[in-house]
Amino acid sequence: MTDHDAQDATDTSDGSPMKSSQRRSSTTRRRSSLLQRARMSFYRSKGERGADVATLRGTRGADFEGEARVIRGTSDAVLCSCFGGGGNGEPVRKGCFVAFSCLGLVFLIFLIEARFSFGLGLLSTNGLCDQKKSRFMLIKGSSCFVFASEESTSPKYAIKLAFMKAEVHGTTVELQTTLGDVEFRFAFDKAEIAERFAGVVTEQASIAEGDVAKKRLGHGHLLHKRASTRYADAIADKKEKDQPEAPITAAEVMNQVPMPGI
């Protein structure tokens, strides 16, 4: 057998580069097909299926996974069904405000004082300080997905991380805009998890901002993202609009309270 024949035999063996390349190509096609079916399921179900945790992880896994209690908006939010909330601890919507009576004003002041006394930041539907249920968090690329649980078929909503910054306060991470406005708070069980989450947010926000800059300069064709990351970006574009509205603040409530005799 000549050296050339020996090389041919090596190239056609099961462990050859040619076979490995074929296997990789076959895996890529299967993965692309799975994502295509997931995409179709997502759009057919209007966002209720096709974006579960396993799908968004992809073959390389997520950048972060963990559980946290998620609080929307500023620190002085009023969250109580007594004031027009949804009855499940959701924030009061700005369009649902009903003018308070003098008794309501006194009760409001009591609730605000209780909020600062206990320092928990949330009021439950029975008027007592409470914390919301834990949510399953997953960061893939420049998007943070909030699931009701790890078994959910689709995230409740998504948060784009570009031009956001994370500030750590013990076991709590504030997600802020570049102007310092608090968009979300994430309360973790352990400080090290909060630190890791903040680190991933900072890293992915920086990458996303770089990608935005490249697109603005006309270099979008230089961006090379894996299929699972592109799919996560597409899901985030759709689920971002499902974010809960920012709750009204105590100051906004006070401005709408009728003040007789003033």
Side-chain angles (χ1 to χ4, degrees):
M1 180 182 294
T2 65
D3 292 342
H4 181 71
D5 293 335
Q7 182 63 41
D8 286 345
T10 301
D11 288 345
T12 57
S13 64
D14 289 342
S16 68
M18 183 182 299
K19 290 292 186 180
S20 297
S21 177
Q22 291 173 348
R23 284 195 295 270
R24 285 196 298 270
S25 178
S26 177
T27 300
T28 301
R29 287 196 299 270
R30 286 198 301 270
R31 181 62 184 169
S32 177
S33 177
L34 288 173
L35 290 177
Q36 183 62 30
R37 289 199 295 270
R39 189 189 305 273
M40 293 175 63
S41 176
F42 181 82
Y43 284 102
R44 282 199 301 264
S45 66
K46 297 182 179 180
E48 295 299 320
R49 300 189 307 274
D52 57 15
V53 171
T55 301
L56 292 178
R57 278 179 185 144
T59 56
R60 297 293 181 91
D63 296 291
F64 174 88
E65 293 184 31
E67 291 189 351
R69 293 172 297 282
V70 186
I71 305 167
R72 180 68 165 100
T74 58
S75 60
D76 57 348
V78 178
L79 301 173
C80 183
S81 62
C82 300
F83 295 97
N88 59 354
E90 293 296 323
V92 179
R93 307 302 184 190
K94 291 185 178 180
C96 299
F97 180 80
V98 179
F100 292 114
S101 63
C102 293
L103 179 60
L105 174 60
V106 172
F107 187 51
L108 170 64
I109 294 173
F110 167 77
L111 290 175
I112 293 175
E113 288 179 347
R115 173 221 183 282
F116 283 106
S117 297
F118 289 96
L120 294 178
L122 289 174
L123 294 170
S124 66
T125 57
N126 60 5
L128 299 176
C129 291
D130 198 3
Q131 293 180 331
K132 297 180 73 175
K133 295 179 180 179
S134 291
R135 303 301 186 189
F136 186 81
M137 316 291 301
L138 183 147
I139 295 178
K140 181 74 173 183
S142 61
S143 305
C144 177
F145 298 94
V146 180
F147 291 83
S149 72
E150 191 173 357
E151 292 73 34
S152 299
T153 57
S154 184
K156 291 173 68 66
Y157 56 90
I159 306 167
K160 294 293 192 70
L161 299 179
F163 305 104
M164 303 292 279
K165 60 181 181 179
E167 187 172 296
V168 182
H169 301 278
T171 58
T172 300
V173 178
E174 290 183 351
L175 190 62
Q176 305 176 359
T177 66
T178 52
L179 297 177
D181 297 323
V182 178
E183 291 292 319
F184 290 90
R185 280 184 170 82
F186 304 92
F188 296 92
D189 290 334
K190 297 180 180 179
E192 53 266 32
I193 301 177
E195 291 283 355
R196 182 161 58 87
F197 175 80
V200 172
V201 168
T202 300
E203 178 184 7
Q204 295 302 324
S206 178
I207 293 173
E209 290 158 22
D211 291 347
V212 170
K214 290 177 182 177
K215 290 179 181 178
R216 287 176 178 172
L217 293 173
H219 301 318
H221 61 285
L222 299 177
L223 300 178
H224 299 289
K225 294 184 178 181
R226 295 182 61 82
S228 59
T229 303
R230 294 196 303 270
Y231 182 68
D233 289 345
I235 296 300
D237 288 340
K238 298 296 183 181
K239 299 299 288 188
E240 185 180 27
K241 67 179 183 296
D242 293 335
Q243 291 180 9
E245 294 180 30
I248 61 175
T249 64
E252 290 174 310
V253 171
M254 295 298 290
N255 287 337
Q256 298 183 65
V257 173
M259 305 295 286
I262 296 181

